[in-house]
Amino acid sequence: MFRRVIIAVITLLSISSTAFSKIPQNEWLVKIGNKTYTVKDFQNWWENWKVDGSKFPENPTPFIDWMLLFENGTELGLYKLPSYQKKIRQFVKVRSLLLLEGDTLAPAKKVSDKEVMNYYKKNYIPKFKLDIYFFQTKEEAAKAKKLIEKGITGEKLAKVLGIKNKMHFERKTDWMRPFEINNTAQRELILKARKGEAIGPVKDGKMWLIIVVSDKTDKENNINEVLKSAKEKLIKIKEAEATEQLLKQLRKKYPVWVNQKLLRKINPNNIPAKLKKEILLKVGNYALTVGGFMKFLKQEIEWEKHSRFGKVNLQIAKKRVVDSIINQTLVGLEALNRHYERREPLKSMFEFYCQNRIIKELENRVLKPKVKISESEIKDYYIRHKSEYRLPDKIKIRFLQTSDVRLAKKLYKELQAGKNFKDLTKEIMGYDNVVEIPYSHLLPESKKVIDKLKIGEVSKPFRIKNTYFMVEVLQVQKNRYKPISEVKKEIERKLFEDKFKAIKQEYIKQLYINLLSKGKEVKVNWDVWNSIVNSHKKQEQYNGTYAFYLFLFSLVIISGIAYYKGVERVG
């Protein structure tokens, strides 16, 4: 029954998905003078122009306005500007790098279950726990091994050997896997060893080790999670290999030259001015001077100082920076030379971005300079909208409280007799209880009393629930506003946006007039437009239906799981 319901819901979803009608992409939608824009042009504009929550246009006017501005900017030659060309290069490079990364790494992500299992068997099992003993000499280690094989371990072993400093004598590990042992020789010894076996003496840097395999097993508590981890690790390894292979190919494809003699001479603490201008390396048509290289080297040195406890090997740091610059430049060159912007999925986005940058240049260089905001306009706006800049009312009070009504009356009598309320508060509460709070935060009962008090006046005891209060008003701040100096930038930005919008609309209007004066016009294929609108409405309806049935589908699954769990419990 449960299975039949799921199949029925999926079938219903698949039927609903056919509701979205398609429109030929090459149908003309708008003609602006001699230029024709198709359904595809509009859809590309809409997909890239809209943001979350954007309302679908009621008519094609926004699209026409956009294209008028783009054409005008093109006629003005704004695409020749360095600022435009720089933005386009940045866009192409960033997007192309992402696509190149995808092309390079996509095959690495495709790993079979068999590959994962083989990797798991080689690098994840058996698991083992180790007791590791550290010695200064091979002889000491060999002597310790004989004692360990006789069952003398831990503190007893240290005592027999006369070792006083036990801190660096023994280390016990938690469960480990083969890939966690970086030393391949040690790893092979551990994998071959039996549970309880002592291995060594093993040379490890300046120390000699005896390694005891205290526990060993092939069992897994959660094999699926471990296989998932193994798959992720295997993919990362294959991605690293694919990247390395790509870099090897690119070093053969593009000429790479480094002035090694000059590189050895470089000292970040003393660089002659003449040396800074010399070319240090070349990658393709890209060249880097010593001065440019120094900026990257100083960053590397600072990073190494913090991450390596102040120890920096200058020659290694220089090589690391050179390799990084070469690799990044090679990948950047290859990404650009593949011209991803000429084909999908980047082509449509690239075309829109070029249009957008032309319009931005037009706005920045032609329209925005026309916007002028005077001091008097800012002042006038501030006066007319002053209520928007009102600050919340505040009140500063001193008060004391007690749950004893007799004490409250007694304190008030002392106050009437001339005692200072501040001293009285300190005496009862142990400190001068002064607070400053928003006026709106006062309780209705407190507000009723406080509103009748003058500055410096103390109230009679009044009750709120089971507590009695006496309050002195110290300061009241009402009808305060942010000064114009504080909100000037905000007002200026608001006025600028309003004026810019009006100037832009007037400019677009003039573009229409100029078009008509040349005997040209704007035509709209209203049949096609209506088809686009209807298609969009159907898509929205389908999305709503899909979301609704997906919700129902989720409920069915949850109910089914709950039902079967109930059956299992009863059984």
Side-chain angles (χ1 to χ4, degrees), residues 399-409 411 428-429 459-471:
F399 71 95
L400 63 77
Q401 63 189 67
T402 176
S403 57
D404 188 339
V405 63
R406 288 177 294 180
L407 176 60
K409 290 177 180 179
L411 294 173
I428 301 303
M429 302 194 70
S459 71
K460 292 179 180 179
F462 62 95
R463 190 177 73 172
I464 298 178
K465 294 184 177 178
N466 296 322
T467 306
Y468 293 86
F469 294 88
M470 290 170 64
V471 177

Side-chain angles (χ1 to χ4, degrees), residues 297-462:
L297 180 60
K298 286 178 179 177
Q299 290 175 0
E300 175 68 18
I301 290 171
E302 284 301 313
W303 177 81
E304 288 198 22
K305 280 181 180 177
H306 290 92
S307 62
R308 299 173 188 272
F309 308 101
K311 295 180 180 180
V312 179
N313 186 314
L314 184 58
Q315 297 306 318
I316 292 175
K318 286 192 282 189
K319 186 180 184 306
R320 188 181 288 114
V321 173
V322 166
D323 288 342
S324 176
I325 292 170
I326 291 172
N327 291 342
Q328 288 183 43
T329 307
L330 285 171
V331 172
L333 284 171
E334 180 65 12
L336 290 172
N337 289 337
R338 290 197 183 189
H339 293 290
Y340 287 105
E341 76 278 7
R342 295 178 184 174
R343 59 186 187 273
E344 299 298 354
L346 187 57
K347 184 182 177 182
S348 299
M349 188 187 295
F350 174 69
E351 289 174 356
F352 172 84
Y353 186 80
C354 289
Q355 294 169 356
N356 186 46
R357 289 315 313 173
I358 286 285
I359 293 172
K360 290 296 180 186
E361 293 290 348
L362 180 68
E363 290 176 348
N364 292 334
R365 293 175 180 272
V366 179
L367 303 182
K368 288 183 179 179
K370 294 181 179 181
V371 181
K372 307 294 180 187
I373 310 294
S374 67
E375 291 292 328
S376 60
E377 287 177 298
I378 295 172
K379 187 176 181 180
D380 180 60
Y381 184 93
Y382 176 75
I383 292 169
R384 287 187 289 109
H385 298 83
K386 198 170 182 180
S387 60
E388 296 175 14
Y389 307 112
R390 178 166 177 165
L391 293 166
D393 294 340
K394 284 186 177 182
I395 186 164
K396 189 174 184 181
I397 58 174
R398 174 182 287 117
F399 71 95
L400 63 77
Q401 63 189 67
T402 176
S403 57
D404 188 339
V405 63
R406 288 177 294 180
L407 176 60
K409 290 177 180 179
K410 177 178 176 293
L411 294 173
Y412 186 65
K413 284 181 180 180
E414 290 181 18
L415 189 67
Q416 287 179 314
K419 193 160 186 177
N420 184 279
F421 187 59
K422 180 178 179 180
D423 295 337
L424 201 62
T425 306
K426 286 182 177 180
E427 183 183 321
I428 301 303
M429 302 194 70
Y431 58 93
D432 187 13
N433 193 20
V434 175
V435 294
E436 185 176 80
I437 58 173
Y439 187 78
S440 59
H441 288 190
L442 289 172
L443 293 171
E445 300 93 329
S446 301
K447 193 179 291 185
K448 186 177 179 181
V449 173
I450 289 170
D451 283 346
K452 296 177 181 179
L453 298 175
K454 297 176 183 178
I455 302 296
E457 188 178 355
V458 181
S459 71
K460 292 179 180 179
F462 62 95

Side-chain angles (χ1 to χ4, degrees), residues 477-520:
Q477 301 177 59
K478 288 188 176 183
N479 299 319
R480 298 179 307 129
Y481 299 87
K482 291 181 182 178
I484 191 169
S485 58
E486 190 177 319
V487 296
K488 183 180 179 182
K489 291 290 183 184
E490 180 187 334
I491 294 172
E492 194 172 12
R493 186 166 53 251
K494 178 72 171 62
L495 291 173
F496 185 93
E497 289 173 358
D498 292 344
K499 279 196 174 187
F500 172 72
K501 188 176 180 181
I503 286 171
K504 185 175 178 179
Q505 288 304 312
E506 186 60 33
Y507 191 84
I508 292 170
K509 182 180 177 182
Q510 192 59 48
L511 292 177
Y512 277 99
I513 294 170
N514 292 344
L515 198 66
L516 294 172
S517 67
K518 294 176 183 178
K520 299 177 181 180

